[in-house]
Amino acid sequence: MKFLKVVSAVLMMFVVGNVSAQKKKAEKFEKLQIEMFPKAKEGYKQVYIQLPIAKNENDLKVEFFVGVEKMLDCNNHFLMGKVATQDLQGWGYNYYEVESNGETGGTLMACPDQKKTKKFVSLQPEIVRYNSKLPLVFYVPKDLEVRYRVLRPDATMKKATQK
């Protein structure tokens, strides 16, 4: 009987610990408010990036790309347009407005096979600081999308070569 009580107590602690761990996993994202940002204007959509809570957020950066997938040849292509940083008046937050009509430019190399492949072509990528407490809010034309990646520092610091 005593053995059953010990086993049930251990199982109970395991279940409570497991539920607690699942709660912590769910809390990796802080619920962000974006209602204070303006509504998207005609022909645009509002998209945002919610970053998970991370250790040493000051060491991290976010690189974002605004672009579209297109069928392209072997040349290097880029999307024409610009990203403007705007201030959310009264809040001190930034958001990004993208101006682009979807036209692309690129190199003019000869492509011997004339084969086209689907590629993501983007505006010049931008790097911003990592902050899980604030969303990265974008206003982009309806046919464009926003992609991003988190940049992490190298674990070891290297020394420059001296002449």
Side-chain angles (χ1 to χ4, degrees):
M1 191 68 165
K2 195 172 194 177
F3 175 75
L4 286 176
K5 285 183 182 180
V6 170
V7 169
S8 63
V10 169
L11 284 175
M12 188 65 110
M13 288 187 337
F14 177 76
V15 169
V16 169
N18 194 16
V19 169
S20 175
Q22 286 177 350
K23 254 187 189 178
K24 284 185 180 180
K25 276 186 183 177
E27 292 169 0
K28 294 261 186 207
F29 286 96
E30 203 169 284
K31 179 67 175 140
L32 299 176
Q33 302 297 318
I34 62 168
E35 293 79 28
M36 72 283 289
F37 289 94
K39 300 291 180 213
K41 60 186 178 184
E42 186 69 33
Y44 283 72
K45 61 184 175 182
Q46 179 192 55
V47 297
Y48 70 95
I49 299 169
Q50 179 177 1
L51 299 167
I53 298 169
K55 288 183 181 177
N56 303 326
E57 289 189 5
N58 289 335
D59 291 343
L60 305 177
K61 300 286 183 194
V62 177
E63 182 176 29
F64 66 83
F65 306 81
V66 179
V68 64
E69 283 193 355
K70 289 189 171 197
M71 295 300 289
L72 300 169
D73 61 18
C74 71
N75 285 286
N76 293 322
H77 296 273
F78 59 89
L79 189 64
M80 296 168 58
K82 66 177 185 170
V83 177
T85 304
Q86 302 294 335
D87 183 45
L88 184 60
Q89 295 297 320
W91 289 87
Y93 302 161
N94 290 332
Y95 61 91
Y96 304 93
E97 284 185 351
V98 177
E99 290 181 25
S100 176
N101 58 8
E103 290 184 24
T104 60
T107 58
L108 298 174
M109 298 184 301
C111 297
D113 59 4
Q114 296 296 318
K115 187 174 127 184
K116 293 192 175 193
T117 56
K118 196 173 202 175
K119 297 179 186 174
F120 182 73
V121 59
S122 69
L123 297 170
Q124 179 71 33
E126 293 199 23
I127 298 175
V128 296
R129 72 185 199 92
Y130 191 104
N131 186 353
S132 63
K133 293 179 178 23
L134 294 176
L136 294 171
V137 179
F138 301 86
Y139 295 92
V140 298
K142 287 203 182 276
D143 56 340
L144 299 184
E145 63 179 287
V146 178
R147 296 181 181 183
Y148 72 98
R149 62 182 168 193
V150 176
L151 305 176
R152 291 169 168 45
D154 194 348
T156 59
M157 197 176 292
K158 296 168 181 71
K159 190 173 182 178
T161 306
Q162 183 176 332
K163 270 192 164 184

